[in-house]
Amino acid sequence: MIETRISIGSINPVDFYGVNNTKLQIIESFFPKMIISVRGNEIIAKGDTKDLKIYTEKMDALIEHYNKYNM
């Protein structure tokens, strides 16, 4: 199992993860084999290489979208 860390930067965690992590739980449902945890502005994901690559690409796209449109 490999670990990767993704920083959401200066984005407000409640805006990005949702109240009580509701938005994050939706994302987690698409990656059932992975272990995903959040510590402040950092997302820690553990899984196999293939899943982590896809997950990282999707999270980078979400962060980019949020930074561009503020939502």
Side-chain angles (χ1 to χ4, degrees):
M1 197 171 273
I2 300 171
E3 177 180 298
T4 189
R5 294 173 182 257
I6 300 171
S7 174
I8 63 169
S10 62
I11 300 172
N12 183 349
V14 175
D15 290 342
F16 193 77
Y17 306 138
V19 177
N20 293 326
N21 293 333
T22 53
K23 294 177 184 177
L24 185 63
Q25 290 170 355
I26 294 169
I27 295 168
E28 288 175 338
S29 70
F30 290 104
F31 299 94
K33 296 179 185 177
M34 293 179 54
I35 299 169
I36 301 169
S37 60
V38 174
R39 299 289 178 261
N41 287 354
E42 190 171 61
I43 304 168
I44 303 165
K46 296 178 184 177
D48 67 15
T49 306
K50 181 181 175 184
D51 289 340
L52 279 176
K53 182 179 181 210
I54 295 168
Y55 177 78
T56 303
E57 290 171 357
K58 300 298 181 187
M59 291 304 293
D60 288 343
L62 283 173
I63 292 168
E64 182 179 331
H65 180 273
Y66 187 90
N67 286 329
K68 185 174 182 179
Y69 298 106
N70 259 353
M71 58 187 300

